Amino acid sequence: MIKSVLIFNQLGKPRLIKFYEQLSISAQQEILREIHLLLSKRSDNLCNFLEGTRTIGNTDTRIIYRHYATLYFVFVTDMSESELGTLDLIQAFVESLDRVFENVCELDLIFHFDEIHYILNEVISAGMVIEVAVQEITKASVEAKRLAQPDTDASRFASFVGKGLFSWIPAALQAPDIRVIEQSGLDTYMFLRSIRTMFIMFSVISIVSASSILPVNILGTMKQTGLNSLSMGNVDPKSNWLWVHVGVFAMVVCWCIWTIIGELRIYTHLRMWWLTHPQTTQKAGASTILLSNIPRNLTNTQRLYELFSVFPGGVRQVFVNRGSKELEKVVKKRDKLACKLEARLTKLAVESLKAQNLQAYREELELVEEIARCNRDIRKARQNIDKMPKRSSALVMFNEQIAAHMAAQCVLDFKPFSMSQVSMSVDPQDVLWYNLEISPWSRRIRGYLSFIATLALTLLWTGMAAVLSSLVQIKSLAALEPFKWLQRSPIALGIFSGIVPSLILAVLMAILPTVLRLLLVLEGTQRKSLVGLRLLHRYFFFQVWNVYLVTIFSSSIFQIAIKSVQQPGRIIELIQTQVPQSATNILTYVLLLAFVGAAKEILQGVPLAMRYIRLLVRAKSPREQVRAEQPMDFKWSDAIPTHSLVFLMGFSYAFLAPIVNWFVAVYFGLFYLIYRYQFLYVYNHANWSMGGLSFPKSVTQMMVGLYISELYMLLMMVAKLNAGASAIMRVVVCSLVVLVTGGAHLYIRDVFMPAISFLPVKRAVDVARNPMLKSEFPNVLDEDGEVEHRFTASERAARNRAFAMYSSMVPKFAIKLGLRLFPPSAATAASSSDEEATAASSSDEEASADHKRSSRLGMADQAPPLADSLDAVDLAGEFSSPELRAPAACSLWVPLQDPMFGGVVRELESRGQGTVSVVTDGTLVTAKFKVKADPDASFEKVFM
């Protein structure tokens, strides 16, 4: 049996201590000191094993060791273990370390002690040797290193799209959809798909309305002027030509409903495919749930293990969260001091190189000593983690993914609110840890208060928008002495009457999401991504009320109210004429968003300016420079409701004022093109990973647009009831369209919505029966026989992608006919497969490019392949709260080009007492004495 494994340097500083028998801390320290004393005196010419002493275990114990560079690897065993076999075991352990870290050095053991323990656990368990094959050890350890990490590699972004001014357009359009999914995730793909669907809808509606409704409006007899002559208000209420509007309206709405249901059908298949795709299942969070509101009597690992063992495959690990306010304060203090010291050392390095004279650095030494004290406190706290108070939350990792989804859907306790909050797809960076401890009653009360605050905010914003809109009305301004000149200037008149209200409205709406997001956080929402998901509906409701109903549509309502008071008998006529006239305001708003918003999105002027400001003001160290250079995050919760609002605006007036359709189609076409490029080459999507759950929110908001359009058309037809029996039939048709839409909405809610949140059992069984389904693009037609057996794998993949692309809008027989006439070439399928393989290979290479520094141990260098195993994942080390995951050591990243500054670095590391090191690779001082850092360096997250 192996009693202990020790790794320490020539000075006796421990780098790894693992005892497989129960000993006190003082006894372990005494053994370490005595073994170091014995080995430091031995010559390298002597044998590599010796008998134990009285402290270590008398003659029944063997001390077997190997000396590599500055480190001693020591295995303490009993008499049953072979000395030569143990020496080979040490060699295998070191070779495994060398493969994982690519020429391992002492710094790797300092900054990646958790990974060192993972590798050791693959070799030895409970003092018994369980694996000696280097290849098998490195497979599991490298996989564990990647499982819990979000996909943020810069390799996702292509480095070259062409030299021409418009070369980005073909680069964005030619990229296959599968690349978008695998590179940016299902949320990004479904967002782009929803924008594309809206673009196609309005393109079709524009063509149809231009050839049917628009000529009828132009030839109307109501003598409207300007853009109003193109609206329904220009058609005689008694004219039978209104049947053109009603007929087109009914057909287009039914086609849009059919399209939305088709998109949901495709989305459901993609969602199930994404849940079982290796890119998802290889992450430990895919089979892990986060519980909160756990009763005190269940905050026990054994109790929770027994509770969840009823699910298929059983439980792999359970960890009850613990926390310490004191430890959290120490970690924050250490990180703040480290950032400060790093900036001061960077400045000192530049000044010493510039002046060729080393400045005094007494304050830097004091900072290092303070950081070392913090690191010792962190290490001490981590050693006593079992003594920390338990929290009412826990992590449970299952052996099977389906078990996690079952547990998330079950009623876990009959007591009120007990374990009622369950989160899937856990990412520790996504969890709002301070919200986990909010009591259920407090969370419920906060929810009510947040809802009331949102309503109050809506009313407040309504008043502000109304006041600002009235101030910029040209008649109100012209009545004031300073603005009488507006009546003499047609250009100024046009600007104030058309553009200014939209600009003021845009500024107000830009502030709003931040306020709503803060309310959701204060409400007790437990995950950042869930905050964004819940914000989608709140922000959409806010925009519909304030932007659409109050600001844009209120002008028509106000005119109807004023004139109907003076002439009550004209209210029906006013509805017919005034409601379509609001299309002018919608045109202005859509045009502003289409061109100004699209230009803002593609140019990224504000983020670019902020990047340079951060580099000038805050980037005082290489680490801060790298942070300033990171890809920007896309504001999902702001963009989705805004585009849904434009869809609502356009569709509500698509049949009343069809000229709107062309502008809305241009809007969605521009944004689809720009977003496709931005997500492929610009944005960092890691801050939003909900597995496509944002798409059902978009569908719900699209249905709201359909309802409002139907309500408008129904009201317009009701206003024309005095036209006789024909008018009554038009009302009946519009009412039937509303009923069809309501039935379709119920169908969507009952059929699709239950199947999208969790992994269905059938999908899990199918994947278990045929593992190839994990990576094979899904068949969205449910044609098991024809599609699965009549074609080769490449042909089947091409057909599946074609049906996923077009089947929501084009009949199935038409797609099959197109595939028969223009079959996908084998070269196309092969190139697609090669692209996917190349992407996977480059991702593996990026994951293994860490820490190529000095003082290597001299082992062979080879990156191992990845394993499909979760055994080495440690919930406590990787998924616990930030203070428990914080390492008890930190690295400072500074440039080193002056030999005199090298002496400062060595003294700082000495004062750090083994808990502080200085890394100098990947950064330098230019000839103009400017610090430059390599964005691909791997030191960005050493102590953060």
Side-chain angles (χ1 to χ4, degrees):
M1 175 183 174
I2 296 176
K3 296 183 176 181
S4 62
V5 176
L6 308 174
I7 304 177
F8 51 84
N9 62 15
Q10 294 175 339
L11 299 177
K13 298 293 183 181
R15 299 310 181 206
L16 181 143
I17 300 177
K18 183 75 171 182
F19 283 86
Y20 296 99
E21 54 185 3
Q22 191 67 31
L23 293 174
S24 65
I25 298 296
S26 59
Q28 294 178 15
Q29 293 174 346
E30 181 62 29
I31 291 173
L32 175 65
R33 282 194 295 268
E34 187 157 345
I35 291 178
H36 172 256
L37 185 62
L38 289 172
L39 300 186
S40 61
K41 296 178 180 179
R42 291 177 66 83
S43 170
D44 290 338
N45 297 326
L46 298 177
C47 67
N48 292 79
F49 44 88
L50 63 160
E51 291 185 352
T53 62
R54 178 180 300 179
T55 302
I56 300 174
N58 295 321
T59 57
D60 294 335
T61 302
R62 291 285 186 270
I63 302 173
I64 304 165
Y65 71 96
R66 280 185 180 271
H67 187 193
Y68 298 96
T70 62
L71 293 176
Y72 288 94
F73 288 73
V74 182
F75 281 35
V76 181
T77 70
D78 59 16
M79 298 296 293
S80 64
E81 297 289 341
S82 167
E83 290 87 349
L84 294 178
T86 306
L87 284 175
D88 290 339
L89 184 63
I90 296 175
Q91 178 70 15
F93 177 49
V94 176
E95 285 187 10
S96 301
L97 295 177
D98 196 69
R99 289 194 180 191
V100 172
F101 294 103
E102 290 194 14
N103 292 333
V104 66
C105 68
E106 186 174 350
L107 288 177
D108 291 311
L109 274 64
I110 294 174
F111 299 120
H112 299 279
F113 62 90
D114 51 346
E115 297 175 32
I116 307 299
H117 279 280
Y118 300 157
I119 297 172
L120 181 60
N121 291 338
E122 290 293 325
V123 180
I124 302 170
S125 178
M128 305 301 294
V129 179
I130 59 175
E131 185 59 73
V132 294
V134 175
Q135 189 73 11
E136 296 300 321
I137 297 169
T138 52
K139 278 183 181 180
S141 58
V142 170
E143 181 63 15
K145 181 179 177 182
R146 295 185 54 190
L147 284 174
Q149 299 299 324
D151 183 17
T152 58
D153 291 337
S155 61
R156 297 187 306 105
F157 305 103
S159 58
F160 184 75
V161 295
K163 296 181 179 180
L165 180 62
F166 299 103
S167 60
W168 61 275
I169 297 178
L173 293 178
Q174 292 172 5
D177 283 1
I178 187 65
R179 177 184 166 191
V180 177
I181 297 175
E182 294 183 347
Q183 176 173 310
S184 301
L186 188 59
D187 287 289
T188 298
Y189 174 71
M190 293 311 301
F191 172 69
L192 289 174
R193 190 177 180 106
S194 66
I195 298 293
R196 185 186 66 190
T197 301
M198 296 176 189
F199 166 67
I200 295 175
M201 282 183 177
F202 277 98
S203 298
V204 172
I205 296 173
S206 298
I207 296 172
V208 173
S209 62
S211 59
S212 56
I213 297 177
L214 196 58
V216 173
N217 293 345
I218 294 174
L219 298 175
T221 59
M222 298 303 291
K223 298 181 180 180
Q224 297 286 341
T225 60
L227 291 177
N228 295 330
S229 64
L230 305 178
S231 67
M232 184 188 289
N234 197 40
V235 180
D236 189 346
K238 298 180 180 180
S239 173
N240 284 329
W241 285 109
L242 289 174
W243 275 108
V244 175
H245 297 76
V246 174
V248 172
F249 161 74
M251 289 187 296
V252 168
V253 168
C254 291
W255 174 73
C256 289
I257 292 173
W258 180 70
T259 299
I260 291 173
I261 292 177
E263 287 292 309
L264 276 170
R265 172 175 50 80
I266 295 171
Y267 162 71
T268 303
H269 285 275
L270 292 176
R271 166 77 175 160
M272 298 306 103
W273 171 67
W274 179 257
L275 286 175
T276 55
H277 194 275
Q279 188 172 338
T280 301
T281 57
Q282 285 182 359
K283 296 180 180 179
S287 56
T288 303
I289 61 173
L290 174 63
L291 294 169
S292 60
N293 304 335
I294 301 177
R296 186 176 299 276
N297 63 330
L298 287 180
T299 54
N300 179 279
T301 301
Q302 186 61 31
R303 293 288 304 276
L304 290 174
Y305 190 95
E306 294 173 356
L307 176 65
F308 289 98
S309 293
V310 300
F311 294 102
V315 177
R316 178 168 302 192
Q317 289 186 55
V318 175
F319 175 72
V320 177
N321 282 320
R322 298 173 182 268
S324 170
K325 294 293 184 181
E326 292 75 16
L327 177 59
E328 184 179 359
K329 292 178 181 178
V330 172
V331 171
K332 289 181 178 179
K333 178 183 178 182
R334 188 276 308 272
D335 292 347
K336 184 177 179 180
L337 291 173
C339 286
K340 180 179 179 180
L341 177 59
E342 198 171 59
R344 293 180 68 91
L345 287 176
T346 302
K347 182 179 179 181
L348 183 63
V350 174
E351 290 179 350
S352 65
L353 192 63
K354 184 186 298 185
Q356 295 296 317
N357 184 21
L358 191 61
Q359 306 292 325
Y361 53 93
R362 181 173 58 84
E363 294 183 6
E364 285 77 2
L365 293 176
E366 293 176 354
L367 284 174
V368 168
E369 292 173 353
E370 183 64 24
I371 292 172
R373 282 193 290 271
C374 292
N375 285 330
R376 288 195 298 270
D377 293 340
I378 295 172
R379 180 184 293 112
K380 184 178 179 181
R382 288 174 64 93
Q383 291 173 347
N384 298 317
I385 189 174
D386 291 338
K387 297 180 180 179
M388 292 183 183
K390 295 180 180 180
R391 291 179 171 175
S392 61
S393 59
L395 293 153
V396 180
M397 178 187 287
F398 295 90
N399 289 305
E400 301 290 342
Q401 182 187 17
I402 188 63
H405 285 260
M406 287 182 173
Q409 299 176 74
C410 288
V411 178
L412 300 176
D413 197 356
F414 63 91
K415 296 180 180 179
F417 303 120
S418 175
M419 294 185 286
S420 58
Q421 298 287 330
V422 182
S423 297
M424 290 286 303
S425 302
V426 181
D427 180 357
Q429 304 297 330
D430 185 46
V431 177
L432 295 170
W433 295 96
Y434 46 83
N435 279 349
L436 291 179
E437 301 310 305
I438 297 176
S439 68
W441 290 106
S442 176
R443 182 176 284 110
R444 182 63 60 90
I445 294 172
R446 288 180 180 216
Y448 293 144
L449 294 176
S450 174
F451 179 74
I452 294 171
T454 301
L455 292 180
L457 194 62
T458 303
L459 297 176
L460 176 63
W461 240 257
T462 300
M464 293 173 60
V467 170
L468 291 172
S469 298
S470 64
L471 286 178
V472 297
Q473 291 294 326
I474 192 64
K475 293 182 180 179
S476 301
L477 289 172
L480 302 176
E481 185 65 29
F483 297 98
K484 287 185 176 180
W485 58 272
L486 289 173
Q487 298 179 357
R488 300 187 298 271
S489 175
I491 297 177
L493 187 67
I495 293 175
F496 272 86
S497 62
I499 297 178
V500 173
S502 298
L503 285 176
I504 295 176
L505 185 63
V507 172
L508 279 176
M509 298 309 295
I511 306 172
L512 179 65
T514 303
V515 180
L516 292 178
R517 187 178 288 107
L518 178 62
L519 285 175
L520 287 170
V521 172
L522 295 176
E523 184 177 322
T525 309
Q526 298 177 347
R527 299 170 61 185
K528 298 174 186 176
S529 55
L530 188 57
V531 169
L533 201 62
R534 295 181 62 192
L535 183 58
L536 296 180
H537 275 345
R538 289 204 182 186
Y539 190 40
F540 177 70
F541 163 75
F542 204 103
Q543 286 189 313
V544 170
W545 176 260
N546 278 288
V547 178
Y548 181 63
L549 296 178
V550 174
T551 306
I552 293 179
F553 193 61
S554 60
S555 59
S556 296
I557 298 176
F558 182 75
Q559 293 294 332
I560 293 173
I562 294 296
K563 294 181 180 179
S564 62
V565 169
Q566 299 172 354
Q567 297 175 313
R570 294 188 59 203
I571 187 169
I572 301 298
E573 177 187 350
L574 291 172
I575 291 176
Q576 299 175 35
T577 57
Q578 293 297 326
V579 171
Q581 290 181 10
S582 296
T584 305
N585 295 334
I586 291 178
L587 282 177
T588 304
Y589 189 75
V590 171
L591 281 174
L592 178 68
L593 289 181
F595 295 104
V596 177
K600 174 184 174 184
E601 181 66 33
I602 191 64
L603 294 176
Q604 294 292 327
V606 174
L608 185 63
M610 292 303 298
R611 170 184 173 273
Y612 284 108
I613 292 174
R614 286 196 300 266
L615 285 173
L616 290 174
V617 177
R618 297 187 57 190
K620 299 179 180 179
S621 68
R623 192 187 311 274
E624 291 178 349
Q625 282 192 14
V626 169
R627 288 173 178 167
E629 296 285 348
Q630 290 300 306
M632 64 196 73
D633 296 331
F634 180 66
K635 297 181 179 180
W636 292 91
S637 52
D638 298 2
I640 293 177
T642 300
H643 296 309
S644 297
L645 175 68
V646 174
F647 177 86
L648 183 150
M649 287 179 172
F651 209 87
S652 63
Y653 277 81
F655 313 101
L656 305 183
I659 190 66
V660 172
N661 298 326
W662 293 95
F663 294 96
V664 178
V666 169
Y667 171 90
F668 284 118
L670 282 174
F671 271 98
Y672 175 72
L673 178 63
I674 292 170
Y675 278 144
R676 194 172 177 88
Y677 171 80
Q678 298 290 78
F679 282 115
L680 284 170
Y681 302 107
V682 178
Y683 281 128
N684 175 14
H685 76 282
N687 69 321
W688 181 272
S689 181
M690 293 297 295
L693 290 179
S694 59
F695 182 71
K697 304 282 187 181
S698 298
V699 169
T700 303
Q701 293 167 5
M702 291 170 68
M703 294 300 295
V704 173
L706 265 63
Y707 282 126
I708 292 181
S709 175
E710 294 164 2
L711 178 62
Y712 280 0
M713 183 60 75
L714 182 61
L715 289 176
M716 292 296 292
M717 294 301 107
V718 170
K720 303 175 189 294
L721 273 176
N722 56 358
S726 180
I728 296 175
M729 289 303 299
R730 289 194 292 268
V731 172
V732 171
V733 172
C734 293
S735 302
L736 288 176
V737 172
V738 175
L739 292 177
V740 169
T741 305
H745 200 174
L746 291 175
Y747 175 78
I748 290 172
R749 188 193 66 182
D750 295 338
V751 173
F752 291 104
M753 295 306 172
I756 61 177
S757 298
F758 302 100
L759 178 65
V761 175
K762 183 181 182 300
R763 175 66 182 181
V765 173
D766 291 343
V767 169
R769 184 187 301 117
N770 182 10
M772 291 297 295
L773 294 176
K774 291 183 178 180
S775 54
E776 187 176 271
F777 198 82
N779 167 25
V780 300
L781 295 181
D782 298 318
E783 295 180 336
D784 296 333
E786 178 185 359
V787 178
E788 294 295 329
H789 302 297
R790 286 179 49 193
F791 306 99
T792 64
S794 59
E795 291 175 337
R796 187 166 60 246
R799 288 175 62 87
N800 288 346
R801 293 175 188 175
F803 282 115
M805 175 73 73
Y806 306 112
S807 64
S808 64
M809 297 186 178
V810 181
K812 182 170 59 177
F813 73 87
I815 302 175
K816 289 184 177 181
L817 179 61
L819 289 172
R820 191 176 296 114
L821 295 176
F822 307 100
S825 63
T828 303
S831 64
S832 178
S833 301
D834 291 343
E835 181 179 313
E836 295 173 20
T838 302
S841 174
S842 62
S843 178
D844 294 344
E845 291 175 2
E846 289 289 335
S848 62
D850 289 335
H851 294 296
K852 293 185 178 180
R853 298 190 289 268
S854 57
S855 302
R856 306 299 179 184
L857 299 186
M859 289 293 151
D861 182 8
Q862 181 180 357
L866 298 178
D868 194 12
S869 172
L870 296 173
D871 292 332
V873 176
D874 179 19
L875 287 180
E878 298 184 24
F879 285 83
S880 56
S881 55
E883 64 269 18
L884 298 184
R885 287 184 282 114
C890 62
S891 171
L892 307 175
W893 192 19
V894 296
L896 175 59
Q897 290 172 252
D898 184 5
M900 293 185 295
F901 187 68
V904 177
V905 169
R906 289 189 291 272
E907 186 173 357
L908 288 171
E909 290 181 331
S910 176
R911 293 288 186 95
Q913 301 177 359
T915 66
V916 179
S917 66
V918 179
V919 179
T920 59
D921 290 354
T923 180
L924 55 87
V925 181
T926 65
K928 295 182 179 180
F929 302 104
K930 301 291 185 180
V931 177
K932 294 193 67 176
D934 180 10
D936 296 328
S938 58
F939 314 118
E940 164 62 11
K941 296 182 179 179
V942 173
F943 61 84
M944 293 303 177

